Amino acid sequence: IDVEDLIALVRNYNPRSNADLIRRAYAYGMQMHEGQFRKSGEPYFTHPVAVAAILTEQQLDDATIVTALLHDTIEDTKSTYSEVERLFGTEVAELVDGVTKLTNLQLSSTESQQAENFRKMLLTLSDDVRVILIKLADRLHNMRTLDHMAREKQLKIASETLFMYAPLAHRLGLYNIKTELEDLALKFKDPEIYEEIIGKLQKTQAVRTRFINAFTLPIRRSLDKAGLHYEIKSRTKSIYSIWNKIVKKGVPFEEIYDVFAIRIILDTQSETEKSDCWRVYSIVTDFYQPSPER
Ligand code: MN
């Protein structure tokens, strides 16, 4: 995506965004990384741009988007802290510096050291949470493009993602990022079973859709009758959590019954919100037995 695409993504949620600042950072980042390439053969600068685009999904501010564009400059190019500060201000320079320091943290890979890793990361977090958000987006893009790395490197990065970055995303409430990180890590750690699960999910997709429709139909009818404003969403369990059940608990795929979840989301405008939730609960249990374990 080019700089105008990126600005459009930001403008979607922040009409007052400083487009000129983003253009300057884009031009500067591109110039600094000129002549550098990713393992895939693409120009290196496609990476910071992709990281910035990921962060627009979290609707982050201009300083964060600009930092994403510059996040590898101090580390990997002739750019310096003082130059970034002079061109883009102290806030951005400190953020870039924070991401660089976080990248260079010496993390231990044993489970007993995980608490120490979290402590180190959380010390950074207390400075500015945006540093961690950028780092997570950076890791997500690196995981999405891990195909081009050597096998050994893939395994190392995938393990680090599982023991460090996915739990961190979980703690920050970034569930989509957590899930994608875990699924991608599994793709490289255990490619065979990853493909197998994907294949089985695809094969059962039509049945699942039919089941979900049939399952929600009586609920929809009653909710409509009650005049409630709602939305029903269904979500399939992540590949990684299915893998967890199969491998760690020894449950065959065919016997994982909670392979999807259904959510009913109510319009929260109304003041009677809480009692509405109970009405919905009561409607659901008119048709289905509650299971005390879940
Ligand atoms: Mn990076």
Side-chain angles (χ1 to χ4, degrees):
I1 75 170
D2 69 19
V3 65
E4 297 308 320
D5 296 332
L6 181 64
I7 290 167
L9 289 174
V10 177
R11 283 270 156 101
N12 272 336
Y13 62 87
N14 178 13
R16 293 173 54 203
S17 157
N18 186 344
D20 184 52
L21 179 72
I22 295 174
R23 273 186 209 108
R24 283 200 295 118
Y26 193 99
Y28 179 80
M30 192 187 283
Q31 188 199 340
M32 284 299 124
H33 287 292
E34 180 147 31
Q36 297 178 343
F37 294 91
R38 301 272 287 169
K39 284 271 190 298
S40 63
E42 284 180 300
Y44 190 87
F45 192 58
T46 55
H47 163 66
V49 174
V51 173
I54 290 169
L55 290 162
T56 64
E57 288 165 26
Q58 296 162 46
Q59 311 205 342
L60 287 161
D61 64 354
D62 285 349
T64 309
I65 301 302
V66 165
T67 302
L69 292 171
L70 306 177
H71 80 271
D72 284 325
T73 55
I74 294 182
E75 172 86 355
D76 295 335
T77 76
K78 62 177 165 53
S79 168
T80 60
Y81 178 94
S82 52
E83 188 170 84
V84 172
E85 185 179 35
R86 182 169 56 79
L87 293 171
F88 302 101
T90 307
E91 185 186 10
V92 168
E94 280 182 358
L95 284 169
V96 176
D97 191 48
V99 177
T100 306
K101 283 184 177 142
L102 194 53
T103 305
N104 293 331
L105 268 189
Q106 291 301 315
L107 298 178
S108 315
S109 56
T110 58
E111 221 158 296
S112 60
Q113 294 289 313
Q114 208 201 31
E116 176 61 14
N117 289 332
F118 270 118
R119 200 186 64 82
K120 281 186 185 169
M121 285 225 168
L122 291 171
L123 283 177
T124 314
L125 189 70
S126 63
D127 283 350
D128 195 325
V129 69
R130 292 175 296 180
V131 169
I132 302 235
L133 298 177
I134 296 162
K135 190 63 204 161
L136 281 170
D138 175 54
R139 174 54 58 126
L140 182 58
H141 184 248
N142 284 333
M143 288 299 298
R144 283 179 185 171
T145 51
L146 204 56
D147 287 292
H148 307 282
M149 289 281 180
R151 182 76 188 129
E152 206 174 303
K153 199 96 195 266
Q154 286 177 343
L155 288 175
K156 184 177 175 280
I157 294 174
S159 308
E160 197 183 65
T161 295
L162 276 184
F163 79 76
M164 198 63 236
Y165 291 97
L168 193 62
H170 182 76
R171 272 164 209 226
L172 292 174
L174 302 166
Y175 300 115
N176 290 339
I177 291 184
K178 173 209 173 226
T179 300
E180 193 179 345
L181 285 174
E182 285 177 342
D183 285 356
L184 286 167
L186 181 63
K187 177 179 164 192
F188 293 97
K189 288 199 82 166
D190 203 339
E192 271 166 41
I193 195 158
Y194 175 87
E195 291 300 333
E196 193 185 316
I197 293 171
I198 288 199
K200 284 186 172 169
L201 280 173
Q202 278 166 355
K203 230 188 277 167
T204 51
Q205 179 62 52
V207 179
R208 209 158 43 243
T209 306
R210 248 178 287 139
F211 184 86
I212 289 169
N213 288 340
F215 184 92
T216 55
L217 185 67
I219 300 175
R220 284 180 196 278
R221 282 199 184 125
S222 295
L223 292 174
D224 288 340
K225 219 193 249 168
L228 291 160
H229 297 278
Y230 66 92
E231 195 186 343
I232 295 187
K233 287 186 177 173
S234 66
R235 194 178 57 116
T236 307
K237 205 181 189 73
S238 77
I239 302 162
Y240 182 77
S241 50
I242 293 174
W243 172 82
N244 243 325
K245 275 218 159 163
I246 293 175
V247 172
K248 294 203 176 153
K249 301 202 174 143
V251 183
F253 180 88
E254 291 69 24
E255 281 171 32
I256 300 175
Y257 294 114
D258 59 340
V259 95
F260 61 90
I262 287 166
R263 280 147 213 250
I264 301 172
I265 294 153
L266 281 177
D267 187 349
T268 54
Q269 302 291 327
S270 70
E271 286 180 4
T272 52
E273 187 186 316
K274 205 169 176 183
S275 62
D276 280 351
C277 289
W278 285 110
R279 279 168 77 197
V280 173
Y281 181 78
S282 151
I283 287 170
V284 173
T285 52
D286 281 346
F287 299 101
Y288 306 108
Q289 287 269 320
S291 162
E293 273 118 293
R294 303 208 184 277

